[in-house]
Amino acid sequence: MSRINLGTIDVQQKIKLPSYTTAQRDLLTPETGAMIYNTTEEVVEIYAATGEWTFAGTKSSATGDVVVVGGATSAFGDYTVHTFTDSETLQVQGGSLDVEFLVVGGGGGGGVNSGAGGGGGAVLFGSMTLSEGNYGVTVGGGGARGVDTTSYSQTLGGTGGTSMLGNIQATGGGGGGSYPSTTGGTGANGGGGGDPSGSGGQGQAPTLPSGITGIVKAGKNGSAAQGGGHEGGGGGGAGAAATNGTGGDGAQSNIDGNNYYYGGGGGTGVWARNGRNGGLGGGGGGGTNSGNGGAGGGSARNAGSNGNSGTNSVNSGNGGTNTGGGGGGATFYGYNGAKGGLGGSGIVIIRY
């Protein structure tokens, strides 16, 4: 490489820097202070004394200076992340913007009386272009817990609420079944079947609107009741169907740098044995009258609650808040006031 030693250069019109792609740049052996134009990133870069290439100035969006308002803002690498844990309005000002999204529906509530686990909410992720304007953001609530209003009242857990980003909809999980033998609720992922012979609920996956590129993680069934011994079925998770009385695992997303799971199914409640675990992604653990309660599903923004042991009126675990996890089922009571676990609320996240 040629070198010219000069004091001051007075450039009246323009200066042309050497141009490289990022891959070509990384093969250079530069000196501190070297400047190039990076054609991959479309920015001027300087080789700093730290041994890294850094931006020389600011990087402008091709659509101009776009302002985004709404949610809790954070940074992940070069991304700006907006996290919505409650319903509000997303505002895009000054132009259009390409974003990636995660939308998670609310989890279904757990059943009662060897009640089954609730299904996890749908998990949708992909990319879209947001034009200038306002977009409604809805965070679906968790499904209501099953409650024994009369002795063995067959009360299902409630269906989780739908989360929305504009016209993108992530539906909620189905509620868990209850004794005697109620079928698990239908939802984005089905609730488990009630003791002793209830069928698992069907998972019905939502679809993405036309023109939106992405993946839908839903459509998993709850498992059937496990028969003798007062044990219901687990709730289906966004990533996997339930296995016997254990909740299915949710689906994983790294949109905010945390690699959390979302939409885990709830575990069933049992009698005289250990409660069943909730699925990864906030599924609540099942309760029991003796032994250990099932563990709540972890690897989540908020882990599902563990099921408890004993005859208190609520001994099942709730789905994790803002995970879309299904609630855990309660143990076998047979009296008024017994309750399953609440489903976990959903969440909406964008990054750009």
Side-chain angles (χ1 to χ4, degrees):
M1 179 182 292
S2 300
R3 178 183 304 207
I4 302 176
N5 293 317
L6 299 172
T8 301
I9 301 178
D10 184 5
V11 179
Q12 299 296 322
Q13 294 185 4
K14 62 184 178 181
I15 183 171
K16 182 174 176 61
L17 296 172
S19 299
Y20 300 95
T21 65
T22 298
Q24 292 169 334
R25 177 205 69 183
D26 292 342
L27 298 176
L28 300 175
T29 353
E31 296 180 357
T32 300
M35 295 180 66
I36 66 164
Y37 179 71
N38 185 320
T39 57
T40 303
E41 301 292 335
E42 298 184 345
V43 293
V44 173
E45 295 179 322
I46 299 177
Y47 192 72
T50 58
E52 297 178 337
W53 290 98
T54 60
F55 290 134
T58 59
K59 181 179 180 180
S60 299
S61 166
T63 55
D65 295 325
V66 179
V67 177
V68 180
V69 180
T73 306
S74 61
F76 164 43
D78 292 334
Y79 291 105
T80 299
V81 181
H82 294 253
T83 301
F84 297 84
T85 55
D86 291 297
S87 300
E88 60 175 288
T89 299
L90 168 66
Q91 303 175 50
V92 180
Q93 304 167 356
S96 60
L97 186 70
D98 293 332
V99 302
E100 297 174 60
F101 64 83
L102 170 73
V103 184
V104 180
V112 69
N113 294 323
S114 293
V123 178
L124 280 58
F125 41 83
S127 59
M128 63 188 299
T129 299
L130 294 175
S131 300
E132 184 172 13
N134 294 336
Y135 297 83
V137 175
T138 301
V139 173
R145 56 173 111 241
V147 179
D148 196 2
T149 54
T150 61
S151 183
Y152 306 122
S153 58
Q154 295 181 290
T155 307
L156 278 169
T159 303
T162 297
S163 295
M164 300 177 63
L165 170 60
N167 63 345
I168 297 172
Q169 300 187 26
T171 49
S178 299
Y179 180 91
S181 300
T182 54
T183 299
T186 297
N189 301 288
D195 170 57
S197 58
S199 300
Q202 298 296 302
Q204 296 183 348
T207 58
L208 289 167
S210 176
I212 302 297
T213 301
I215 297 174
V216 175
K217 302 294 286 187
K220 307 300 190 298
N221 296 335
S223 63
Q226 300 305 293
H230 294 306
E231 180 175 350
T243 304
N244 300 324
T246 299
D249 288 338
Q252 195 172 21
S253 170
N254 195 37
I255 191 168
D256 59 357
N258 290 304
N259 260 331
Y260 288 140
Y261 283 80
Y262 296 89
T268 189
V270 301
W271 179 261
R273 295 185 310 286
N274 292 338
R276 303 308 180 213
N277 297 340
L280 294 177
T288 181
N289 69 311
S290 63
N292 298 316
S299 298
R301 179 173 298 272
N302 295 292
S305 300
N306 296 334
N308 297 317
S309 177
T311 56
N312 55 305
S313 64
V314 184
N315 73 346
S316 49
N318 295 331
T321 303
N322 297 127
T323 68
T331 192
F332 194 77
Y333 292 111
Y335 62 79
N336 295 356
K339 301 177 181 70
L342 294 167
S345 53
I347 196 167
V348 176
I349 303 176
I350 66 167
R351 76 179 186 185
Y352 51 88

